[in-house]
Amino acid sequence: MGVDFLSSDYINDEALSLINTYGTRDPFEIARQLGIKIYLRNDFKRLKGMYMVILRNRCIFINNNLCREAQRILCAHELGHDILHRELAKSKALQEFVLYDMKSRPEYEANTFASELLLPDEEVCQYLIDGYDVVQIAGIMNTDINLLLIKMAQLNKRGHNFKTPYMPSGDFIGKI
């Protein structure tokens, strides 16, 4: 039996619901308010982060050796797993060695969730309308180009027609 992808609209609605409920786009603050325990780990080598449910406790583990922005993106991604894939995480840890894996359904959806949570539609659209390119926008918004490209794809699904120069890299987080 196959599992259907969650719709882009559903993922966007879930992210917006959290933003509206908690009054922030900060994934660490949202996770805290949801009762999710966050552990910054210094003993991770290649592992960037993971989400798991341990004895009914929702946990996000993040590599503390990553820069703050990478930790923020990972936290948003793992929060996406909590919101979208909690049942899956009860049977196995969802580990991130490569964040922008667009071939795996749960990873694609968690990436989409992170882009919706962290990057406001209006701000991204305004920069694009003003003629900034993806490198400039990522720099201005202090985010990763790949996350911005995912967001642009989501905006295009909602009726915009922004040109994306390329698809997100599948091994971005591995290069941080």
Side-chain angles (χ1 to χ4, degrees), residues 3 5 10 14 16 23 49-50 58 60 66 79 82-83 87 93 102 110 127 150 154 167 171 173 176:
V3 178
F5 277 76
Y10 175 79
E14 290 296 308
L16 290 176
M50 68 180 168
R58 297 148 58 197
I60 293 175
L66 299 174
L79 185 58
D82 176 75
I83 300 301
E87 288 303 313
M102 302 303 275
Y127 287 130
I150 293 167
Q154 295 310 112
M167 290 305 297
D171 62 351
I173 283 294
I176 291 180

Side-chain angles (χ1 to χ4, degrees), residues 55-73:
L55 300 172
R56 291 189 231 162
N57 293 300
R58 297 148 58 197
C59 304
I60 293 175
F61 298 87
I62 296 176
N63 188 326
N64 198 34
N65 299 309
L66 299 174
C67 70
R68 184 70 180 150
E69 184 54 33
Q71 290 179 357
R72 185 171 161 266
I73 292 170

Side-chain angles (χ1 to χ4, degrees), residues 6 31 38-39 42-44 59 79 94 115 140 157 162 168 173:
L6 298 173
I38 297 178
Y39 300 95
N42 290 316
D43 58 341
F44 287 174
C59 304
L79 185 58
L94 300 174
S115 76
I140 292 167
K157 286 180 182 178
F162 298 122
I173 283 294

Side-chain angles (χ1 to χ4, degrees), residues 15 19 29 36 48-49 62 67 74 86-87 100 102-103 129 133 137 144 163 172:
I19 293 163
E29 178 60 21
I36 300 169
K48 306 303 179 196
I62 296 176
C67 70
L74 274 161
R86 192 174 313 152
E87 288 303 313
Y100 294 115
M102 302 303 275
K103 296 177 188 138
I129 290 166
D133 65 34
I137 297 169
D144 179 76
K163 292 183 181 163
F172 156 74

Side-chain angles (χ1 to χ4, degrees), residues 26-37:
D26 180 351
F28 289 97
E29 178 60 21
I30 293 169
R32 185 189 69 73
Q33 291 196 42
L34 287 171
I36 300 169
K37 295 179 180 6

Side-chain angles (χ1 to χ4, degrees), residues 30-148:
I30 293 169
R32 185 189 69 73
Q33 291 196 42
L34 287 171
I36 300 169
K37 295 179 180 6
I38 297 178
Y39 300 95
L40 297 176
R41 301 293 301 260
N42 290 316
D43 58 341
F44 287 174
K45 302 292 184 236
R46 289 186 331 113
L47 186 63
K48 306 303 179 196
M50 68 180 168
Y51 173 79
M52 56 191 309
V53 178
I54 305 169
L55 300 172
R56 291 189 231 162
N57 293 300
R58 297 148 58 197
C59 304
I60 293 175
F61 298 87
I62 296 176
N63 188 326
N64 198 34
N65 299 309
L66 299 174
C67 70
R68 184 70 180 150
E69 184 54 33
Q71 290 179 357
R72 185 171 161 266
I73 292 170
L74 274 161
C75 188
H77 177 96
E78 302 305 344
L79 185 58
H81 282 312
D82 176 75
I83 300 301
L84 306 172
H85 310 121
R86 192 174 313 152
E87 288 303 313
L88 181 60
K90 287 180 180 178
S91 62
K92 68 176 186 172
L94 300 174
Q95 299 180 342
E96 316 307 337
F97 291 97
V98 175
L99 186 58
Y100 294 115
D101 178 0
M102 302 303 275
K103 296 177 188 138
S104 159
R105 177 190 67 84
E107 297 308 315
Y108 173 85
E109 292 169 351
N111 289 334
T112 299
F113 179 88
S115 76
E116 298 290 10
L117 182 71
L118 297 175
L119 304 174
D121 288 9
E122 307 76 28
E123 190 175 347
V124 173
C125 287
Q126 192 59 58
Y127 287 130
L128 290 165
I129 290 166
D130 289 347
Y132 291 95
D133 65 34
V134 293
V135 174
Q136 293 169 318
I137 297 169
I140 292 167
M141 296 185 76
N142 194 30
T143 194
D144 179 76
I145 291 171
N146 294 291
L147 193 69
L148 179 59

